[in-house]
Amino acid sequence: MKCTINRRAQFSASHRYWLPELSEAENYQKFGLCARAPGHGHNYVLFVSMVGELDEYGMVLNLSNVKHVIKREVTDQLDFSYLNEVWPEFQQTLPTTENLARVIWQRLAPHLPLVRIQLFENPELWADYQGEGMEAYLTVSTHFSAAHRLARPDLSFEENCEIYGKCARPNGHGHNYHLEVTVKGEIDPRTGMLVDLVALQKAIATLVVEPFDHTFLNKDIPYFASVVPTAENIAVYIANLLNAPIRDLGAQLHKVKLIESPNNSCEVYAADLQPLAVNLKNKEGILISV
């Protein structure tokens, strides 16, 4: 029987996004504050996922051996280092989160049966790499606070309470929503980026966080005047809002995960999306549909 196991590790390191062939102005335009000298640091958290058959001892691998491999091949070398200089791979391609995950895979693959490398730069930004050439995944996490009421206008109060329980109460209730947006793309062989991170964060803030934060979704977001704002419907709506703008940035939306509370969350994959009639103003103030 096959089983996937995961091992956690961590290291602290610094890096700088800077290309010598670009001018100072061009570097700052492309990388923002990440171009500042001498660099900046992170407490990285690494998850190594491996797959294999269970042996007679009930293990896929001896975790003590796994720990020593990760320590020898990765964390001992990267901990308290300047990433741009520690490994030769980063002379050609900058040590972004997604490229660092890719290179860690390459370092560990000869020794461990890998299925995924997940690397957290911080709790709001992480990358996943699964051994597919230059393809990787990058996730941005953010949040907004909003209220909603779950009720269909064509049903009575009693019928809505039967379906939605306390969530159908007339004056609604609120949540601190956590939103995770995962994009997929090819890592640029020079910049190490699969998407312009600043532009991605700006799109999420402009299209989702700013319009949604501190609203009553049923009344303040036109779409939810006729669609019940369940976590599932909110996630579908957000995915539709972001799908085209992310494509315009040269990446693909992969997944939207909406965490309504510690007990409830949902995930929507872009591959399953169907277009919605969404009223949205572009930067010229003209209504468009996505």
Side-chain angles (χ1 to χ4, degrees):
M1 176 180 175
K2 283 192 174 182
C3 183
T4 299
I5 61 172
N6 304 285
R7 179 71 189 184
R8 180 185 182 277
Q10 59 188 34
F11 59 92
S12 299
S14 64
H15 61 171
R16 185 188 185 198
Y17 295 174
W18 183 270
L19 296 177
E21 64 268 25
L22 300 182
S23 67
E24 180 176 357
E26 288 171 329
N27 272 295
Y28 274 97
Q29 182 180 17
K30 182 175 287 290
F31 301 120
L33 295 179
C34 294
R36 279 183 175 175
H40 61 283
H42 300 285
N43 295 317
Y44 290 94
V45 179
L46 170 67
F47 291 92
V48 180
S49 299
M50 300 148 283
V51 68
E53 297 284 344
L54 290 177
D55 64 18
E56 60 184 305
Y57 306 107
M59 299 189 298
V60 172
L61 296 165
N62 185 304
L63 285 179
S64 180
N65 294 338
V66 170
K67 178 179 72 173
H68 288 299
V69 168
I70 296 172
K71 189 171 185 291
R72 182 187 72 235
E73 300 296 328
V74 177
T75 55
D76 271 358
Q77 298 183 45
L78 298 185
D79 202 24
F80 289 86
S81 73
Y82 180 54
L83 294 173
N84 298 64
E85 298 177 353
V86 68
W87 283 346
E89 291 94 333
F90 301 137
Q91 299 301 306
Q92 174 60 36
T93 310
L94 294 177
T96 60
T97 312
E98 55 267 45
N99 190 46
L100 183 53
R102 181 184 71 91
V103 176
I104 289 173
W105 173 291
Q106 292 174 339
R107 294 276 176 147
L108 291 176
H111 311 283
L112 299 171
L114 302 177
V115 290
R116 184 180 69 168
I117 293 293
Q118 186 175 62
L119 184 65
F120 284 76
E121 184 176 285
N122 61 57
E124 296 182 347
L125 180 67
W126 63 93
D128 290 84
Y129 182 76
Q130 299 173 7
E132 300 293 334
M134 295 297 280
E135 183 180 270
Y137 300 82
L138 193 68
T139 300
V140 172
S141 174
T142 186
H143 60 88
F144 59 89
S145 299
H148 66 168
R149 180 189 180 219
L150 305 187
R152 282 177 42 171
D154 58 321
L155 300 180
S156 68
F157 175 69
E158 290 75 20
E159 289 172 321
N160 276 309
C161 287
E162 177 93 18
I163 298 168
Y164 299 113
K166 294 178 181 179
C167 296
R169 288 178 174 174
N171 294 318
H173 61 281
H175 297 285
N176 294 317
Y177 290 94
H178 288 264
L179 173 66
E180 298 175 4
V181 178
T182 301
V183 301
K184 177 174 69 173
E186 296 282 319
I187 297 172
D188 185 278
R190 190 67 180 113
T191 67
M193 303 172 75
L194 67 85
V195 69
D196 184 325
L197 180 58
V198 174
L200 174 62
Q201 291 171 323
K202 183 178 180 182
I204 296 169
T206 301
L207 296 174
V208 181
V209 177
E210 290 299 326
F212 280 47
D213 196 32
H214 287 75
T215 64
F216 193 103
L217 295 172
N218 307 62
K219 297 181 180 296
D220 296 323
I221 305 297
Y223 179 74
F224 294 117
S226 58
V227 175
V228 180
T230 60
E232 297 92 327
N233 279 336
I234 298 169
V236 169
Y237 178 69
I238 290 172
N240 272 277
L241 286 177
L242 294 175
N243 198 27
I246 288 172
R247 188 166 58 244
D248 291 342
L249 294 177
Q252 298 177 48
L253 177 65
H254 175 63
K255 181 179 73 172
V256 165
K257 180 176 181 179
L258 187 67
I259 303 170
E260 185 176 82
S261 75
N263 299 323
N264 300 318
S265 66
C266 65
E267 299 179 24
V268 172
Y269 287 84
D272 299 324
L273 283 181
Q274 296 179 355
L276 302 178
V278 176
N279 290 325
L280 176 67
K281 288 185 179 181
N282 62 17
K283 59 185 178 181
E284 285 79 30
I286 301 171
L287 285 174
I288 58 174
S289 295
V290 297

